[in-house]
Amino acid sequence: MNVQSVFYTSLYFVAVLYTFAFVLYGIRAIKGPTTADIIMAVDCLSFDMAAFMVILGIYFRSILLASGAIILALWAYMLDVYYTKYVLYGEVEV
Amino acid sequence: MTVKRDTAVALSFLLAFLVLSYAVVEKDVMGLSKNPLRPLGEFYLGHAFASGELTSHSPEVVTAIVWNYRGFDTLFETFVFFLAIMGTLSVLRLREGQERMVRDMERVEPHRHMDLIVRVITRLVLLMIIGISASIALHGHLTPGGGFQGGSAMAVASLLLFAVFSKFTLERRGLTLRHTLGAYAVGIAIILLTVYAPLALGGRFLQINLLPGELGLFDLDVGEYLAVSFGFLSVFLILGVSEWIFRRILRGEVR
Amino acid sequence: MKPFGRFSAGTFLLVFLTYIFYTGSATGYDVITGTLVALVVSLLVGRWVVEDDRKVFQPRRWLSAIIFFLRYFVVEETRTHVDVAKRVFTLRTRPGIVRIPLDVKSDYARVLVANSITNTPGTVVVDITDDGKYLYVHWIDVSSLDEGEIKRNVVSYFEDYAGRMFD
Amino acid sequence: MQFGVIPVVPLTFAFFLPITAILAGRRRWVINAYVLAATSLVMLFAAFLAVEAYHSGRPLVYSFGGWIAPVGIVFEVDRFSALLVLTTTVGFFLAAIYAVDYLSREHGVEYFFTGVLGLEAGVLGAFMTGDAFNLFVMLEVMGASAYSIVGFYRHRGQSVEGAFKYALSGALATSLYFLGLGFVYSSLGTLNMADISAQFHGVAFPLTVGVFGDPKLAVGIFFALTVAMVLVKSAVFPGHYWLPDAYEGAPVPAAALLSGFVEVVGIYMLARYLFTVFAGPPYSRDLSLVFFTLGTVSSFLGAFMMLVQRNLKRLIAYSTILHMGYLFMALGVMSKLALVAVTYHIINHAIAKTLLFFAAGSYIFATGTADIDELAGVGRSMPLTTAAFAVATLSLVGVPPLNVFFSKMLIFDALLQVSPLIASVVVITSAVAAWAYFRAMVTIWRGRAGAGHGTENEEGPVAYRERPVFLLVMLVLVLAVVFIGLLSPLLVDRFVLPAAGQAMNYGGYIKAVLELAKGVL
Amino acid sequence: MIELHLLILAMVVSFGFVFSYLAMKEHDLLKALALSSVQSTFFALGFYILAAPDIVLAYLAIAVGAYTALVILAISKTERFEVGE
Amino acid sequence: MSAGFLMFYSVLVLFGMMLLGIYGVVTRSNMVKKIIMLNIMGDAINMLFIIIGYRLVYPVFPPVYEGHIPFDEFLRTAVDPVPQALVLTAVVIGMAMNILLSTYAIQIYRLYGTVDVRDVAHLRREGK
């Protein structure tokens, strides 16, 4: 029972927690009475997904796949900006 | 009536689903239960970067397939993208006089910047996106990525720029459709030069192995990067024209 | 147009570091291509991001940034988390929106203050005026309406360090 | 000869057309000369290719990048392909000449011609390719350019709406074909057509050895999905709904190209898969039944809908559905005669239909309307155009000395091998179509213009000019219609029969690639 | 051990199915688009699990970035609510 | 839960999703909605393709050789790169179609004032 195995076992629980979080975000995204709620849920879900990807990358010991997480975080930011601008102004560009 | 039609459609889809699932699960039509490596894939994995006759000088096997072994597909895929963008420009085209009209009308339009926090953060994020997209594109033959991935990442940067500042920020600085189309043509010229060059060296079309080392893959990635990012930019430049302006122009034209 | 007038060493450094960091290796190929990309970008949009290059290369500013972030993540985050957790269980909340004037001058400093406020639990920046002089903050515990008091409770030391880093 | 470059030539020209147009500014002739140079160059290459294909006894193979199949993509051109390639390039050249004049009043023609060159690249690639996935890419190239030229009149709602409908159906259909390729790759382990054929027939091929899962069922599903795709792409009965709308909106040269060359790519694909790759595919009886049923329904639908059309373009569009129905029925026979009939009918239909569209286009260009009632009486002031229109309609109906008669007869013969009942469909629908054409013809030629309609004003009938360029193009096509008709027995013997014979010989098709592959791998 | 991968994959496709069904049923197009971008995000994770980093990079930029922006643009220029049956 | 069961489960759900996409394209009347559903269908098909190339071995590696494992082990554990290359092409093409389709939808709205296919068909029949 060394540190490494404890670490990897704990990652299991982290994965379960993340799945649970996805379910919660999903419920908010489905029920969300206003559009803002849905956008918030999608945003949180995307950023959590990025974090989850990094954790999986540690678990599978592959740094290669972690690059996707950075990209996902950036694109989720763009997604937010677009939704927000549409909801605020009704137009996106101009 | 419509309910009946929908039910019929749904039933036929259920039938299709049952057939497909029977084929896949019961008859194992795709060989999924063991899912072995197909010999073709094994060939690519084994030869893409090993030294020898059939190498492609790239440890990234997908890029090797996309641009070297099956490069012809990708050349035409770039072409599909180009055609789609030209189709878009063709639908949204403006005459010479109309371009001037648009510019006059846009002068009175409000600039809807988003607020300070978003603007400042976006500046930093934009620089990061540009760096990352260049990294994706230029390392296409070493690590995952490639021209198209990098180009679309760059397109997202321009989209962000449009949303957070307005699209006029670019146009005020003198960037118009002419310039983006010119840059697009430069990217495509790089690709075409690279794929035609082997003919001059006495080889087959697209035989980029005749070029020294990894030059072929590098060139193609750079060309695709330029082409895709400026292609997206051209589309969004013209899609960003305000709705009321375009309606007024069209109203003058409908006969 | 003078393209070289727009060159900015700060932008160059930022893009170059991003490039190398994302690539994950620093061979000769990476350095050459990274330099090229960073050069092109900084020639195109240099002054737009970094206004004054001298500020980037002052160790004093970097030092204060390091101290700020250390203190922020270790002390401040813990304190406010504990505070909000207590409030959650005791339900002692007095929510309200307060206006806070900002003294820092540069945009980056203002954004840093605003984001720090949002990132600590219990306070959320709702709006910022267009000239960036005032913040509207939703605060979980509006304990007083005195401007100095609010500022001390919500903005605490952020503004001080932000000024030292960016002004 | 490096014939693999043929589809790349229009591609190259298309890539640089927008920037050339920007540089040329208002000088319209630059764009026109550019397009004509591109199409004539391709035509020249295609002529060389056809000569070479007929002289060599085996299919020609060109490997891109020096990668032989199954590693890379190869072009495999036999006489069947070469014949279609030659026809296509000639058709595109004539259409380009016509379009240069037809669109001389419009702005933004560079985008239109980009689409036309793209369409040419796509069609040529689809005819020449020997790779199943490359065929998918070519279909998309064709699709993307076809949608963009259909939506060229961007201020007309019908045009844009037709393009949307076409694009949506096309994208859906090609996705289905892509899924089918998944089944092929997962069970046969390859994407090259010759290699697929080799795996299917149990011929040893280097590198790709062995099949996975259940190849027979996989090929069956692949065929189901491919036929579903062709139904939409070639506008056969359940998938025909987009075609009249798209043709009504498209500029006339675009509609002519779509009708003559793009629709038949689906038929060509099916012929290639049915007759060459899987010579005698599994479930072929069921497939035949499907072909007969849908082909019959779509011929009847096309013929009867022609009767009620008031719009000239829509009338011709339904005629296209009718002829696609014939081709589809002929595919179901699966004999050599059927393949001869299909090949010959593709060529003849393309020529006659292009002529018909061009003649109709001359009326539309002169009057600015496509409504048959409003066109009443136009024919009298444009006698030469009317003559061309008459030749085209007579040919399409199947009047003996003209070309379509002979291919219809071949289709009739092929269908007669199965059942006289099915063969009679050709006769009945031809008669119905003849009536529809006759009515349109009479209205245009002898009809009295109604009050308020375009062809008559206060001083009497308006005299319309016939444009010399249109007449020149139509003259070439009329000569083609007449001479192909007259020389039919000779042409079928000399060119079409060998083409069909070579296309049916799957052993030769595999061997051409196999020998090259053995040398490298 | 491969089961863990496949378990995550199964989770991803299940979520994807649920969200695409909801996207089909939703009449507010903006909400439908948000739901379908949830589906896209899950699919990105799926591609990641299936060891396809190239696809992840391309797919994320397309499906989460450009496509969503494009459709929001289309919605903002047309109408936001779908007319019911 | 065996590996094979999970694999088949995923494939079946993806088939369902693909058919759902087609159903959406066929039955929804709003053009933008049609575009969204078309994308869902395309995603499902792409995922199916990637699954074809997956391997049931552990550990499984992406088809990129980084030099940290021996070559024969890489050959034993890397996934099939061919479907990935094909899907990459298909993703690009799908995006191209999206651009084209959304532009047409926008233009139709400008001309007809609606993007509902039934209304557009009605207006068209009136000869507008």
Side-chain angles (χ1 to χ4, degrees), chain D residues 155-514:
Chain D
H155 54 273
R156 291 189 196 163
Q158 39 178 274
S159 174
V160 182
E161 198 247 347
F164 182 85
K165 222 180 216 176
Y166 188 11
L168 196 70
S169 330
L172 197 67
T174 43
S175 302
L176 290 182
Y177 179 64
F178 185 56
L179 180 64
L181 285 180
F183 282 94
V184 166
Y185 179 73
S186 62
S187 72
L188 298 176
T190 179
L191 288 166
N192 186 268
M193 284 186 193
D195 196 3
I196 290 172
S197 183
Q199 302 295 336
F200 184 74
H201 290 106
V203 180
F205 211 83
L207 200 59
T208 52
V209 278
V211 293
F212 311 90
D214 187 345
K216 202 176 160 205
L217 189 58
V219 171
I221 293 177
F222 171 68
F223 257 107
L225 292 167
T226 309
V227 170
M229 187 273 275
V230 171
L231 287 183
V232 175
K233 275 279 180 190
S234 290
V236 182
F237 162 59
H240 68 282
Y241 54 91
W242 56 268
L243 187 131
D245 291 350
Y247 282 21
E248 190 186 354
V252 167
L257 289 177
L258 289 180
S259 169
F261 305 104
V262 176
E263 306 305 329
V264 298
V265 168
I267 303 288
Y268 164 81
M269 265 180 70
L270 273 184
R272 181 58 85 196
Y273 280 125
L274 283 174
F275 292 98
T276 311
V277 177
F278 308 103
Y283 321 108
S284 59
R285 284 183 65 86
D286 305 335
L287 271 176
S288 290
L289 202 62
V290 168
F291 287 148
F292 289 143
T293 321
L294 295 181
T296 311
V297 173
S298 99
S299 338
F300 273 112
L301 180 110
F304 283 105
M305 288 301 280
M306 276 170 75
L307 283 176
V308 296
Q309 296 309 316
R310 298 319 308 157
N311 185 308
L312 197 52
K313 277 191 198 170
R314 283 182 87 88
L315 190 147
I316 307 176
Y318 277 107
S319 148
T320 301
I321 294 177
L322 165 71
H323 284 270
M324 290 302 136
Y326 290 163
L327 287 169
F328 214 62
M329 275 156 72
L331 279 179
V333 182
M334 309 213 187
S335 66
K336 191 177 173 187
L337 182 60
L339 186 55
V340 172
V342 166
T343 317
Y344 199 46
H345 192 67
I346 285 177
I347 295 168
N348 286 334
H349 167 250
I351 293 169
K353 188 53 70 69
T354 314
L355 176 59
L356 185 59
F357 258 117
F358 286 174
S362 306
Y363 299 138
I364 295 168
F365 185 83
T367 61
T369 176
D371 195 290
I372 294 178
D373 290 334
E374 294 184 32
L375 285 173
V378 177
R380 252 167 309 173
S381 61
M382 300 170 80
L384 294 175
T385 309
T386 311
F389 192 82
V391 170
T393 48
L394 289 178
S395 172
L396 278 172
V397 165
V399 172
L402 301 174
N403 62 351
V404 176
F405 166 73
F406 291 96
S407 51
K408 265 192 182 172
M409 200 177 70
L410 285 172
I411 287 179
F412 186 80
D413 284 351
L415 291 175
L416 214 52
Q417 288 176 344
V418 183
S419 139
L421 206 61
I422 294 176
S424 66
V425 170
V426 177
V427 181
I428 297 170
T429 50
S430 290
V432 176
W435 177 240
Y437 282 132
F438 179 71
R439 283 201 338 190
M441 184 79 205
V442 165
T443 314
I444 288 172
W445 187 30
R446 307 296 310 169
R448 288 252 160 263
H453 281 162
T455 57
E456 201 160 316
N457 55 17
E458 290 85 13
E459 291 103 45
V462 185
Y464 291 107
R465 283 266 182 75
E466 300 189 69
R467 294 176 75 91
V469 177
F470 291 178
L471 287 180
L472 185 75
V473 175
M474 282 189 279
L475 179 69
V476 173
L477 283 168
V478 166
L479 289 180
V481 165
V482 173
F483 279 101
I484 291 179
L486 290 177
L487 299 175
S488 254
L490 187 70
L491 290 175
V492 171
D493 268 355
R494 287 285 300 280
F495 297 110
V496 184
L497 265 175
Q502 201 173 29
M504 301 274 287
N505 176 12
Y506 72 85
Y509 194 79
I510 297 171
K511 223 171 108 190
V513 177
L514 186 60

Side-chain angles (χ1 to χ4, degrees), chain C residues 35-166:
Chain C
T35 311
L36 275 176
V37 170
L39 206 61
V40 169
V41 174
S42 56
L43 282 180
L44 284 177
V45 295
R47 290 272 160 252
W48 186 57
V49 179
V50 182
E51 275 139 23
D52 192 353
D53 272 335
R54 277 168 302 172
K55 283 185 191 172
V56 180
F57 298 103
Q58 282 170 353
R60 187 168 53 81
R61 294 174 191 275
W62 287 102
L63 195 68
S64 56
I66 290 167
I67 294 170
F68 170 76
F69 281 110
L70 272 180
R71 183 168 164 196
Y72 181 78
F73 282 114
V74 177
V75 181
E76 203 71 9
E77 284 277 312
T78 322
R79 193 173 63 77
T80 46
H81 267 99
V82 170
D83 185 53
V84 171
K86 262 192 232 157
R87 283 179 200 286
V88 168
F89 287 112
T90 57
L91 293 177
R92 263 189 310 109
T93 56
R94 272 169 294 174
I97 292 180
V98 293
R99 189 181 76 168
I100 299 175
L102 282 179
D103 297 330
V104 286
K105 295 285 177 305
S106 92
D107 282 354
Y108 285 109
R110 283 170 180 152
V111 170
L112 181 65
V113 172
N115 280 1
S116 307
I117 290 172
T118 307
N119 203 26
T120 49
T123 45
V124 176
V125 174
V126 187
D127 200 2
I128 186 169
T129 49
D130 258 357
D131 52 1
K133 291 218 173 94
Y134 293 98
L135 288 178
Y136 292 88
V137 178
H138 179 273
W139 189 15
I140 199 168
D141 177 35
V142 187
S143 49
S144 84
L145 293 175
D146 174 44
E147 201 163 82
E149 182 83 1
I150 292 170
K151 214 167 164 171
R152 197 154 41 74
N153 274 327
V154 177
V155 182
S156 62
Y157 68 104
F158 303 147
E159 207 172 356
D160 186 25
Y161 276 96
R164 267 190 250 168
M165 278 155 67
F166 290 109

Side-chain angles (χ1 to χ4, degrees), chain B residues 81 84-89 92 231-232 235-236 239, chain E residues 62 66-67 70, chain F residues 35 39 92-106:
Chain B
F81 193 75
I85 284 179
M86 287 309 139
T88 302
L89 295 184
L92 302 174
F232 270 117
V235 168
F236 289 118
L239 266 181
Chain E
I62 293 299
Y67 157 71
L70 189 73
Chain F
I35 297 172
N39 266 279
V92 178
I93 290 174
M95 186 61 208
M97 288 302 135
N98 275 337
I99 294 177
L100 208 54
L101 283 169
S102 4
T103 317
Y104 286 144
I106 291 170

Side-chain angles (χ1 to χ4, degrees), chain B residues 96 178, chain D residues 16-35 109-110:
Chain B
E96 286 161 55
R178 280 160 176 267
Chain D
F16 293 111
L17 184 51
I19 194 75
T20 311
I22 286 177
L23 294 179
R26 291 183 179 204
R27 281 162 292 178
R28 182 66 75 85
W29 63 267
V30 175
I31 299 174
N32 296 346
Y34 186 93
V35 172
V109 283
E110 67 265 24

